[in-house]
Every structure is written in structure tokens, then in C-alpha cells.
Amino acid sequence: MRRPDVVPDPTLPARVTIYEVGARDGLQNEKVAIPTEIKAEFIRRLAATGLETIEVTSFVNPTWVPQLADAAELLAELGQEGVGPRRPVLVPNERGLDRALAAKVEAIAIFGSATETFAQKNLGRSVAESVEMFRPVVTRARDHGLWVRAYVSMCFGDPWEGPVPIAQVVDACASLMDLGADELSLGDTIGVATPGQVVALLDALAERGLARERTAVHFHDTYGQALSNTMTALRHGITTVDSSAGGLGGCPYAKSATGNLATEDLIWALEGAGIDTGVDLEALVATSAWMAEQLGRPAPSAVVRALAGA
């Protein structure tokens, strides 16, 4: 299989951690129910490529996201492969945490919003009310020794409110991290960010005391900017990147959101810059091509299309 020519880029970090979201964020918007055993096989294949961190599923109310209604069954199917500090699951509230704890998970993610409209549509609460909802979730999770990630959606733009002021985003991020989360993920939910915005937000977060080493980026590719925004973030101190195998993804509550940054596209760029990811690109392309067959359509990833076709 063809590989990128390597020209080391000293402006980038020596190693990048990939936080794989394909099994959760990638599949949550699929309209046709995917069998639990297919999801489990997808996760096993992703793990076999060398991806260390894989977000497995979500313990949200099944009426919110029907595709993930089988969260408990999926974790039972995976057994030890589905739990551990590198197998986080999304939880929206204490009921979700109860289900996650019953499944013996060791890492969770909560999900807030930088805008009021999306907070109401996604969580049925204001931004402030959602923070209070998450307070006991994080406290109990930490009491049980769980690792906790905090997602913040709509960090760069909102389909209802338009551009989001940086100070508003910083406030939303700080309020969730102040609860005791270990890691922050900045979500460009509708894929409108540009590199200048990325730098401005990272600088503002640093001024607030939110360290880059505890911050990840999560870009959607609606306008084809996900990879350029990611490379900009990496050049400004970020070392953890959310991406989705094959470029799968979308958001049930933001219809303008398209797929995530494709993991294969990210790895191609990083390998070309001489950066170690620990992931077997050929095996990952094969995994995404297999998943595309299960879904009955080509993978959105440009690298998958190029290499699988070749």
C-alpha cells in the first residue's frame, strides 16, 4: 500500500494521541439500526490497528439516540475489551452514570455546550443548569476512580446563534473543567472553524489557565477544514486529537453537522510529517472499508477512498 513521503516537520509534536470516536460519534447518527455484533467487531478491528483510546458507546436515553440503545449489550458483548481507562463511554446524567458503573466502565465523557440554544436542544437545560446536572456525575465518577472527559460543543459556531464569542466558549469550558474533569475536548460541531479561530481560542483558554496538555480538539469536516484546523492546533501545543475511522459522524441535534475528521486522513498527514501515532494505517483503511460495506456506502475519508480503491 502506498505511504506518504516523510518530510519531518519540527513545528509539530513528536507524538500525537488519537482519541477514536468512530464507534460512538461516528455511528450515532445512522438511521438504520446497526447490529450489536457489528459494532463490537468494529471496535475489535479498530483496537487491532493500534488505536489505544476508543470511545465505545453512550448511555444516553435510547429515545434521544436510538442507534446507541444497545450500550449495555455492546459492553457485555465486548467483555474486557470494552472497559478500561482507554474505553470511555458518554454519559448525560446520573442515570447514565449508574448504567455505566453497572457495566464496570473506567472512563466516562460528559458533554456540555458553549451556546444556550444547543444546550436546550441537546440537554433540555440551560448552560448553567447543565453544569449543575454534571456536578454530581463528575463527583461520583471521580469517587469511583473513573477518568473523566468534558466535551464542549459549538465552540466555533452555532447553526441557530451564529458565531460564538470566544469569552463565552472559555467560560463554558472552565465551568466543566472546574467540576474536576481530566480532559477537555473542543468541539467544532458544525465544522465552521478556521485556523485563526483555533489559535485565538487556544490562547484564550491558556490565559484562563486551561492547559494545552489537558485539551483535545474535535473538528467536523463540513467545510473541508477539519485537517487544516487540526494541524494548526498541533502547531500550537495540542497533542490529543479526536477523529473518526472512515470520517463517519454527525450530530442528531445539529443537522448541519457532517462527518468528523477522518482518522486515516489525519494519520496520512502525521506520517508524512514524521510523527508517530502507533497506528497501522493499512489495517485501519481495511477496517473502515469493511465498515463502509456494512453501512452500504463509501467511506467519507479521502485516504480510505484512495487507498482502498487502489
Side-chain angles (χ1 to χ4, degrees), residues 151-244:
Y151 281 104
V152 178
S153 300
M154 303 296 174
C155 288
F156 299 94
D158 179 290
W160 301 278
E161 298 184 18
V164 185
I166 287 178
Q168 181 176 319
V169 178
V170 172
D171 285 345
C173 293
S175 66
L176 289 179
M177 292 301 284
D178 285 347
L179 297 179
D182 296 284
E183 184 173 86
L184 170 69
S185 177
L186 306 173
D188 181 19
T189 313
I190 59 173
V192 296
T194 58
Q197 286 179 290
V198 173
V199 175
L201 178 55
L202 291 177
D203 286 347
L205 289 168
E207 290 175 6
R208 189 68 168 265
L210 297 173
R212 280 168 165 77
E213 58 265 26
R214 295 178 62 194
T215 302
V217 291
H218 183 119
F219 293 109
H220 285 237
D221 205 33
T222 313
Y223 292 87
Q225 304 301 301
L227 184 57
S228 63
N229 287 330
T230 296
M231 300 303 281
T232 296
L234 293 175
R235 289 190 173 94
H236 286 80
I238 296 299
T239 58
T240 300
V241 177
D242 298 2
S243 62
S244 174

Coordinates of all heavy atoms in Angstrom, one line a residue, residues 151-244:
Y151 N -16.6 17.2 27.1 CA -16.8 17.8 25.7 C -17.5 19.1 25.8 O -18.4 19.3 26.6 CB -17.7 16.9 24.9 CG -17.1 15.7 24.3 CD1 -17.3 14.4 24.8 CD2 -16.3 15.7 23.1 CE1 -16.8 13.3 24.3 CE2 -15.8 14.6 22.6 CZ -16.0 13.4 23.1 OH -15.5 12.2 22.6
V152 N -17.1 20.1 25.0 CA -17.9 21.3 24.9 C -18.2 21.5 23.4 O -17.3 21.6 22.5 CB -17.1 22.6 25.4 CG1 -18.0 23.8 25.2 CG2 -16.8 22.4 26.9
S153 N -19.5 21.5 23.1 CA -20.0 21.6 21.7 C -20.1 23.1 21.3 O -20.2 24.0 22.1 CB -21.3 20.9 21.5 OG -21.2 19.5 21.8
M154 N -20.2 23.3 20.0 CA -20.4 24.6 19.4 C -19.4 25.7 19.8 O -19.7 26.8 20.1 CB -21.8 25.2 19.8 CG -23.0 24.2 19.4 SD -23.1 24.1 17.6 CE -24.4 22.8 17.5
C155 N -18.1 25.3 19.8 CA -17.0 26.2 20.2 C -16.7 27.2 19.2 O -16.0 28.2 19.5 CB -15.8 25.4 20.6 SG -15.9 24.4 22.1
F156 N -17.1 27.0 17.9 CA -16.7 27.9 16.9 C -17.9 28.5 16.1 O -17.7 29.5 15.4 CB -15.7 27.2 15.9 CG -14.5 26.8 16.6 CD1 -14.3 25.5 17.1 CD2 -13.4 27.6 16.7 CE1 -13.2 25.1 17.7 CE2 -12.2 27.2 17.3 CZ -12.1 25.9 17.8
G157 N -19.0 27.9 16.3 CA -20.2 28.4 15.6 C -21.4 27.6 15.9 O -21.3 26.4 16.2
D158 N -22.6 28.2 15.8 CA -23.8 27.5 16.2 C -24.8 27.8 15.1 O -24.9 28.9 14.6 CB -24.3 28.1 17.5 CG -25.6 27.6 18.0 OD1 -26.6 27.8 17.4 OD2 -25.6 26.8 19.0
P159 N -25.5 26.8 14.6 CA -26.5 27.0 13.5 C -27.6 27.9 13.8 O -28.3 28.5 12.9 CB -26.9 25.6 13.2 CG -26.7 24.8 14.4 CD -25.5 25.4 15.1
W160 N -27.9 28.1 15.1 CA -29.0 29.0 15.5 C -28.5 30.4 15.9 O -29.1 31.4 15.7 CB -29.8 28.3 16.6 CG -30.4 27.0 16.2 CD1 -31.5 26.8 15.5 CD2 -29.8 25.7 16.5 NE1 -31.7 25.4 15.3 CE2 -30.7 24.8 15.9 CE3 -28.7 25.3 17.2 CZ2 -30.5 23.4 16.0 CZ3 -28.5 24.0 17.3 CH2 -29.3 23.0 16.7
E161 N -27.4 30.4 16.6 CA -26.9 31.6 17.2 C -25.8 32.3 16.4 O -25.4 33.4 16.6 CB -26.4 31.4 18.6 CG -27.5 30.9 19.5 CD -27.0 30.8 21.0 OE1 -26.0 31.4 21.3 OE2 -27.7 30.1 21.8
G162 N -25.2 31.6 15.4 CA -24.1 32.1 14.6 C -22.8 32.0 15.2 O -22.5 31.1 16.1
P163 N -21.9 33.0 15.0 CA -20.6 32.9 15.6 C -20.7 33.0 17.1 O -21.5 33.7 17.7 CB -19.9 34.2 15.1 CG -20.6 34.5 13.8 CD -22.0 34.1 14.0
V164 N -19.8 32.3 17.8 CA -19.8 32.2 19.3 C -18.7 33.0 19.8 O -17.5 32.7 19.5 CB -19.8 30.7 19.7 CG1 -19.9 30.6 21.2 CG2 -20.8 29.9 19.0
P165 N -18.9 34.0 20.7 CA -17.8 34.7 21.2 C -16.8 33.9 22.0 O -17.2 33.0 22.7 CB -18.6 35.7 22.2 CG -19.9 35.8 21.6 CD -20.3 34.5 21.1
I166 N -15.6 34.1 21.8 CA -14.5 33.3 22.5 C -14.7 33.3 24.0 O -14.5 32.3 24.6 CB -13.1 33.8 22.0 CG1 -12.9 33.4 20.6 CG2 -12.0 33.2 23.0 CD1 -11.5 33.9 20.0
A167 N -15.0 34.5 24.6 CA -15.1 34.6 26.0 C -16.2 33.6 26.5 O -16.1 33.0 27.6 CB -15.4 36.0 26.4
Q168 N -17.3 33.5 25.7 CA -18.4 32.6 26.1 C -18.0 31.2 26.1 O -18.3 30.4 26.9 CB -19.5 32.9 25.1 CG -20.8 32.0 25.3 CD -21.9 32.4 24.3 OE1 -22.1 33.6 24.1 NE2 -22.6 31.4 23.8
V169 N -17.1 30.8 25.1 CA -16.6 29.4 25.0 C -15.7 29.1 26.1 O -15.8 28.1 26.8 CB -15.9 29.2 23.6 CG1 -15.3 27.8 23.6 CG2 -16.8 29.5 22.4
V170 N -14.8 30.1 26.5 CA -13.9 29.9 27.6 C -14.6 29.7 28.9 O -14.3 28.8 29.7 CB -12.9 31.1 27.7 CG1 -12.1 31.0 28.9 CG2 -12.0 31.1 26.4
D171 N -15.7 30.5 29.1 CA -16.5 30.3 30.3 C -17.1 28.9 30.4 O -17.1 28.3 31.5 CB -17.6 31.4 30.4 CG -17.1 32.8 30.7 OD1 -15.9 32.9 31.2 OD2 -17.8 33.7 30.5
A172 N -17.7 28.5 29.3 CA -18.3 27.1 29.3 C -17.2 26.0 29.5 O -17.5 25.1 30.3 CB -19.0 26.9 27.9
C173 N -16.1 26.2 28.9 CA -15.0 25.2 29.1 C -14.5 25.2 30.6 O -14.4 24.1 31.2 CB -13.8 25.5 28.2 SG -14.2 25.2 26.5
A174 N -14.3 26.4 31.1 CA -13.8 26.5 32.5 C -14.8 25.9 33.5 O -14.5 25.2 34.5 CB -13.5 27.9 32.8
S175 N -16.1 26.1 33.3 CA -17.1 25.7 34.2 C -17.2 24.1 34.3 O -17.4 23.6 35.4 CB -18.5 26.2 33.8 OG -18.9 25.7 32.5
L176 N -16.9 23.5 33.2 CA -16.9 22.0 33.2 C -15.6 21.5 33.8 O -15.6 20.5 34.5 CB -17.1 21.4 31.8 CG -18.5 21.6 31.2 CD1 -18.6 21.0 29.8 CD2 -19.6 20.9 32.1
M177 N -14.5 22.1 33.4 CA -13.2 21.6 33.9 C -13.1 21.9 35.4 O -12.5 21.1 36.2 CB -12.1 22.3 33.2 CG -11.9 21.9 31.8 SD -11.7 20.1 31.6 CE -9.9 19.9 32.1
D178 N -13.8 22.9 35.9 CA -13.8 23.2 37.4 C -14.5 22.1 38.2 O -14.3 22.0 39.4 CB -14.5 24.6 37.6 CG -13.6 25.7 37.2 OD1 -12.4 25.5 37.0 OD2 -14.1 26.9 37.2
L179 N -15.3 21.3 37.5 CA -16.0 20.2 38.2 C -15.1 19.1 38.5 O -15.4 18.3 39.4 CB -17.1 19.7 37.3 CG -18.3 20.6 36.9 CD1 -19.3 19.9 36.0 CD2 -19.0 21.1 38.2
G180 N -13.9 19.1 37.9 CA -12.9 18.1 38.2 C -12.6 17.1 37.0 O -12.1 16.0 37.2
A181 N -13.0 17.5 35.8 CA -12.7 16.7 34.6 C -11.2 16.6 34.4 O -10.5 17.6 34.7 CB -13.4 17.2 33.4
D182 N -10.8 15.5 33.8 CA -9.3 15.3 33.5 C -8.9 15.9 32.2 O -7.8 16.4 32.0 CB -9.0 13.8 33.5 CG -9.2 13.2 34.8 OD1 -8.4 13.4 35.7 OD2 -10.2 12.5 34.9
E183 N -9.9 15.9 31.2 CA -9.5 16.4 29.9 C -10.7 17.2 29.3 O -11.9 16.9 29.5 CB -9.2 15.2 29.0 CG -8.7 15.5 27.6 CD -8.3 14.3 26.8 OE1 -9.1 13.6 26.2 OE2 -7.0 14.0 26.8
L184 N -10.3 18.2 28.4 CA -11.3 19.0 27.7 C -11.2 18.7 26.3 O -10.1 18.7 25.7 CB -11.0 20.5 28.0 CG -11.7 21.5 27.2 CD1 -13.2 21.6 27.6 CD2 -11.1 22.9 27.4
S185 N -12.4 18.6 25.6 CA -12.4 18.4 24.1 C -13.2 19.6 23.5 O -14.4 19.7 23.8 CB -13.0 17.1 23.7 OG -13.1 17.0 22.3
L186 N -12.6 20.3 22.6 CA -13.2 21.5 22.0 C -13.9 21.0 20.7 O -13.2 20.6 19.8 CB -12.1 22.5 21.7 CG -11.2 23.0 22.8 CD1 -10.1 23.9 22.3 CD2 -12.1 23.7 23.9
G187 N -15.2 21.2 20.7 CA -16.0 20.7 19.5 C -16.4 21.7 18.5 O -17.0 22.7 18.9
D188 N -15.9 21.5 17.3 CA -16.4 22.3 16.2 C -17.6 21.6 15.6 O -17.4 20.9 14.5 CB -15.3 22.6 15.2 CG -15.7 23.5 14.0 OD1 -16.8 24.2 14.1 OD2 -15.1 23.4 12.9
T189 N -18.7 21.6 16.2 CA -19.8 20.7 15.9 C -20.3 20.8 14.5 O -20.7 19.8 13.9 CB -20.9 20.9 16.9 OG1 -20.4 21.0 18.3 CG2 -22.0 19.8 16.9
I190 N -20.3 22.0 14.0 CA -20.9 22.2 12.6 C -19.8 22.4 11.6 O -20.1 22.8 10.4 CB -22.0 23.2 12.5 CG1 -21.4 24.6 13.0 CG2 -23.2 22.8 13.4 CD1 -22.4 25.8 12.8
G191 N -18.5 22.3 12.0 CA -17.4 22.3 11.1 C -17.1 23.7 10.4 O -16.7 23.7 9.2
V192 N -17.3 24.8 11.1 CA -17.2 26.1 10.5 C -15.9 26.8 10.9 O -15.5 27.9 10.5 CB -18.3 27.0 10.9 CG1 -19.6 26.5 10.3 CG2 -18.5 27.2 12.4
A193 N -15.1 26.2 11.8 CA -13.8 26.8 12.3 C -12.8 27.1 11.2 O -12.8 26.4 10.2 CB -13.2 26.0 13.4
T194 N -12.0 28.1 11.4 CA -10.8 28.3 10.6 C -9.6 28.4 11.5 O -9.7 28.6 12.7 CB -11.0 29.7 9.9 OG1 -11.2 30.7 10.8 CG2 -12.2 29.6 8.9
P195 N -8.4 28.3 10.9 CA -7.2 28.2 11.7 C -7.0 29.4 12.7 O -6.6 29.3 13.8 CB -6.1 28.1 10.7 CG -6.7 27.4 9.6 CD -8.1 27.9 9.5
G196 N -7.4 30.6 12.2 CA -7.2 31.8 13.1 C -8.1 31.7 14.3 O -7.7 32.1 15.4
Q197 N -9.3 31.2 14.1 CA -10.2 31.0 15.3 C -9.6 30.0 16.3 O -9.7 30.2 17.5 CB -11.6 30.5 14.8 CG -12.4 31.5 14.2 CD -13.8 30.9 13.7 OE1 -13.8 30.1 12.8 NE2 -14.8 31.2 14.4
V198 N -9.0 28.9 15.7 CA -8.4 27.9 16.6 C -7.4 28.5 17.5 O -7.3 28.2 18.7 CB -7.9 26.7 15.7 CG1 -7.1 25.7 16.6 CG2 -9.0 26.1 14.9
V199 N -6.4 29.2 16.9 CA -5.4 29.8 17.6 C -5.9 30.8 18.7 O -5.5 30.8 19.9 CB -4.4 30.5 16.7 CG1 -3.3 31.3 17.5 CG2 -3.7 29.5 15.8
A200 N -6.9 31.6 18.3 CA -7.4 32.6 19.2 C -8.1 31.9 20.4 O -7.9 32.3 21.6 CB -8.4 33.5 18.5
L201 N -8.8 30.8 20.2 CA -9.4 30.1 21.3 C -8.4 29.4 22.2 O -8.5 29.5 23.4 CB -10.4 29.1 20.8 CG -11.1 28.2 21.9 CD1 -11.8 29.1 22.9 CD2 -12.1 27.3 21.2
L202 N -7.4 28.8 21.6 CA -6.4 28.1 22.4 C -5.6 29.2 23.3 O -5.3 28.9 24.5 CB -5.4 27.4 21.5 CG -5.9 26.2 20.8 CD1 -4.9 25.6 19.9 CD2 -6.5 25.1 21.8
D203 N -5.4 30.3 22.7 CA -4.7 31.4 23.5 C -5.6 31.8 24.7 O -5.1 32.1 25.8 CB -4.3 32.5 22.6 CG -3.1 32.2 21.7 OD1 -2.4 31.2 21.9 OD2 -2.9 33.0 20.7
A204 N -6.9 32.0 24.4 CA -7.8 32.5 25.4 C -7.9 31.5 26.5 O -8.0 31.8 27.7 CB -9.1 32.8 24.8
L205 N -8.0 30.2 26.2 CA -8.1 29.1 27.2 C -6.8 29.1 28.0 O -6.9 28.9 29.3 CB -8.3 27.8 26.5 CG -9.6 27.6 25.9 CD1 -9.6 26.3 25.0 CD2 -10.7 27.4 26.9
A206 N -5.6 29.3 27.4 CA -4.4 29.3 28.2 C -4.4 30.5 29.1 O -3.9 30.3 30.3 CB -3.2 29.4 27.2
E207 N -4.9 31.6 28.7 CA -4.9 32.8 29.6 C -5.8 32.5 30.8 O -5.6 33.1 31.9 CB -5.4 34.0 28.9 CG -4.4 34.5 27.8 CD -5.0 35.7 27.0 OE1 -6.1 36.1 27.3 OE2 -4.3 36.1 26.0
R208 N -6.8 31.6 30.6 CA -7.7 31.3 31.7 C -7.1 30.2 32.6 O -7.7 29.8 33.6 CB -9.1 30.8 31.1 CG -10.2 30.6 32.1 CD -10.7 31.9 32.8 NE -11.9 31.7 33.5 CZ -13.1 31.9 33.0 NH1 -13.2 32.4 31.8 NH2 -14.2 31.6 33.7
G209 N -6.0 29.6 32.2 CA -5.3 28.6 33.0 C -5.7 27.2 32.6 O -5.4 26.2 33.3
L210 N -6.3 27.0 31.4 CA -6.7 25.7 30.9 C -5.6 25.2 30.0 O -5.4 25.7 28.9 CB -8.0 25.8 30.1 CG -9.2 26.2 31.0 CD1 -10.5 26.4 30.2 CD2 -9.5 25.1 32.1
A211 N -4.8 24.3 30.5 CA -3.6 23.8 29.9 C -3.8 23.1 28.6 O -4.7 22.3 28.5 CB -2.8 23.0 30.8
R212 N -2.9 23.3 27.6 CA -3.0 22.6 26.4 C -2.8 21.1 26.5 O -3.4 20.4 25.7 CB -2.0 23.2 25.4 CG -2.4 24.5 24.7 CD -1.2 25.2 24.0 NE -1.6 26.2 23.1 CZ -1.9 27.5 23.5 NH1 -1.9 27.8 24.8 NH2 -2.2 28.4 22.6
E213 N -2.0 20.7 27.5 CA -1.7 19.3 27.6 C -3.0 18.5 28.1 O -3.0 17.3 28.1 CB -0.5 19.0 28.5 CG -0.6 19.6 29.9 CD 0.0 20.9 30.0 OE1 0.2 21.6 29.0 OE2 0.5 21.3 31.1
R214 N -4.0 19.2 28.6 CA -5.2 18.6 29.0 C -6.4 18.9 28.1 O -7.5 18.7 28.4 CB -5.6 19.1 30.4 CG -4.6 18.7 31.5 CD -5.0 19.2 32.9 NE -6.3 18.7 33.3 CZ -6.9 19.2 34.3 NH1 -6.4 20.3 35.0 NH2 -8.1 18.8 34.7
T215 N -6.0 19.4 26.9 CA -7.0 19.9 25.9 C -6.9 19.1 24.6 O -5.8 18.8 24.1 CB -6.9 21.4 25.6 OG1 -7.0 22.1 26.8 CG2 -7.9 21.8 24.6
A216 N -8.0 18.6 24.1 CA -8.1 18.0 22.8 C -8.9 18.8 21.8 O -9.7 19.7 22.2 CB -8.7 16.6 23.0
V217 N -8.8 18.5 20.5 CA -9.6 19.2 19.6 C -10.5 18.1 18.8 O -10.1 17.0 18.6 CB -8.8 20.0 18.6 CG1 -8.2 21.2 19.3 CG2 -7.7 19.1 17.9
H218 N -11.7 18.6 18.4 CA -12.7 17.7 17.8 C -13.3 18.5 16.6 O -14.3 19.2 16.9 CB -13.7 17.3 18.8 CG -14.7 16.3 18.4 ND1 -14.9 15.1 19.0 CD2 -15.7 16.4 17.4 CE1 -15.9 14.5 18.4 NE2 -16.4 15.3 17.5
F219 N -12.8 18.3 15.4 CA -13.3 19.1 14.3 C -14.1 18.2 13.3 O -13.8 17.1 13.0 CB -12.1 19.6 13.5 CG -11.3 20.7 14.2 CD1 -10.1 20.4 14.7 CD2 -11.9 21.9 14.5 CE1 -9.4 21.4 15.4 CE2 -11.2 22.9 15.2 CZ -9.9 22.6 15.7
H220 N -15.3 18.8 12.9 CA -16.1 18.2 11.9 C -15.6 18.8 10.5 O -15.1 19.9 10.5 CB -17.6 18.4 12.2 CG -18.1 17.5 13.2 ND1 -19.2 16.6 13.0 CD2 -17.7 17.3 14.5 CE1 -19.4 16.0 14.2 NE2 -18.5 16.3 15.1
D221 N -15.9 18.1 9.5 CA -15.3 18.4 8.2 C -16.4 19.0 7.2 O -16.2 18.9 6.0 CB -14.7 17.2 7.6 CG -13.6 17.6 6.6 OD1 -12.9 18.6 6.8 OD2 -13.4 16.9 5.6
T222 N -17.4 19.7 7.7 CA -18.4 20.2 6.9 C -17.9 21.1 5.7 O -18.4 21.0 4.6 CB -19.4 21.1 7.7 OG1 -19.7 20.4 8.9 CG2 -20.7 21.4 7.0
Y223 N -16.9 21.9 6.0 CA -16.4 22.8 5.0 C -15.0 22.4 4.6 O -14.2 23.2 4.0 CB -16.4 24.3 5.5 CG -17.8 24.8 5.7 CD1 -18.5 24.6 6.9 CD2 -18.4 25.5 4.7 CE1 -19.8 25.1 7.0 CE2 -19.7 26.0 4.8 CZ -20.4 25.8 6.0 OH -21.7 26.3 6.1
G224 N -14.6 21.2 4.8 CA -13.3 20.7 4.4 C -12.2 21.2 5.2 O -11.0 21.2 4.7
Q225 N -12.4 21.8 6.4 CA -11.3 22.4 7.2 C -10.8 21.6 8.3 O -9.9 22.1 9.1 CB -11.9 23.8 7.7 CG -12.4 24.7 6.6 CD -11.4 25.1 5.6 OE1 -10.3 25.6 5.9 NE2 -11.6 24.7 4.3
A226 N -11.4 20.4 8.6 CA -11.0 19.7 9.8 C -9.5 19.4 9.9 O -8.9 19.6 11.0 CB -11.8 18.4 9.9
L227 N -8.9 19.0 8.8 CA -7.5 18.6 8.9 C -6.6 19.9 9.1 O -5.7 19.9 9.9 CB -7.1 17.8 7.7 CG -5.6 17.3 7.7 CD1 -5.3 16.5 8.9 CD2 -5.3 16.6 6.4
S228 N -6.9 20.9 8.3 CA -6.1 22.2 8.5 C -6.2 22.7 9.8 O -5.2 23.2 10.4 CB -6.5 23.2 7.4 OG -7.8 23.6 7.5
N229 N -7.4 22.7 10.4 CA -7.6 23.2 11.8 C -6.9 22.4 12.8 O -6.3 22.9 13.7 CB -9.1 23.2 12.1 CG -9.9 24.3 11.4 OD1 -9.3 25.4 11.1 ND2 -11.1 24.1 11.1
T230 N -6.9 21.1 12.5 CA -6.2 20.1 13.4 C -4.7 20.4 13.4 O -4.0 20.5 14.5 CB -6.5 18.7 13.1 OG1 -7.9 18.4 13.3 CG2 -5.6 17.7 13.9
M231 N -4.1 20.5 12.2 CA -2.7 20.8 12.1 C -2.3 22.1 12.8 O -1.2 22.2 13.4 CB -2.2 20.7 10.6 CG -2.5 19.4 9.9 SD -1.8 18.0 10.7 CE -0.1 18.1 10.1
T232 N -3.2 23.1 12.6 CA -2.9 24.4 13.3 C -2.9 24.2 14.8 O -2.0 24.7 15.5 CB -4.0 25.4 12.9 OG1 -3.9 25.7 11.5 CG2 -3.8 26.7 13.7
A233 N -3.9 23.4 15.3 CA -3.9 23.1 16.8 C -2.6 22.4 17.2 O -2.1 22.7 18.3 CB -5.1 22.3 17.1
L234 N -2.2 21.5 16.5 CA -1.0 20.7 16.8 C 0.3 21.7 16.9 O 1.2 21.5 17.7 CB -0.7 19.6 15.8 CG -1.8 18.4 15.9 CD1 -1.5 17.4 14.8 CD2 -1.8 17.8 17.2
R235 N 0.3 22.6 15.9 CA 1.4 23.5 15.9 C 1.4 24.5 17.1 O 2.3 25.3 17.3 CB 1.5 24.3 14.6 CG 1.9 23.4 13.4 CD 2.1 24.2 12.1 NE 2.7 23.3 11.1 CZ 2.0 22.7 10.2 NH1 0.7 22.8 10.1 NH2 2.6 21.9 9.3
H236 N 0.2 24.5 17.8 CA 0.1 25.5 18.9 C -0.1 24.7 20.2 O -0.8 25.2 21.1 CB -1.0 26.4 18.6 CG -0.7 27.5 17.6 ND1 -0.7 27.2 16.3 CD2 -0.3 28.8 17.8 CE1 -0.4 28.3 15.6 NE2 -0.1 29.3 16.5
G237 N 0.5 23.5 20.3 CA 0.6 22.9 21.6 C -0.3 21.7 21.9 O -0.2 21.1 22.9
I238 N -1.3 21.5 21.0 CA -2.2 20.4 21.3 C -1.6 19.1 20.9 O -0.9 19.0 19.8 CB -3.5 20.6 20.5 CG1 -4.3 21.9 21.0 CG2 -4.5 19.4 20.6 CD1 -4.7 21.8 22.4
T239 N -1.8 18.0 21.6 CA -1.2 16.7 21.3 C -2.3 15.6 21.3 O -1.9 14.4 21.0 CB -0.1 16.3 22.3 OG1 -0.6 16.3 23.6 CG2 1.0 17.3 22.2
T240 N -3.5 15.9 21.6 CA -4.6 14.9 21.5 C -5.7 15.4 20.5 O -6.2 16.5 20.6 CB -5.3 14.7 22.9 OG1 -4.3 14.2 23.8 CG2 -6.4 13.7 22.8
V241 N -6.0 14.5 19.6 CA -6.9 14.8 18.5 C -8.0 13.8 18.4 O -7.8 12.6 18.4 CB -6.2 14.9 17.1 CG1 -7.2 15.2 16.0 CG2 -5.1 15.9 17.2
D242 N -9.3 14.2 18.4 CA -10.4 13.4 18.2 C -10.6 13.1 16.7 O -10.5 14.1 15.9 CB -11.7 14.0 18.7 CG -11.7 14.2 20.2 OD1 -10.7 13.9 20.8 OD2 -12.8 14.7 20.7
S243 N -10.8 11.9 16.3 CA -11.1 11.6 14.9 C -11.9 10.4 14.8 O -12.0 9.6 15.7 CB -9.8 11.5 14.1 OG -9.0 10.4 14.6
S244 N -12.4 10.1 13.6 CA -13.4 9.0 13.4 C -12.9 8.2 12.2 O -12.7 8.7 11.1 CB -14.8 9.6 13.1 OG -15.7 8.5 12.8

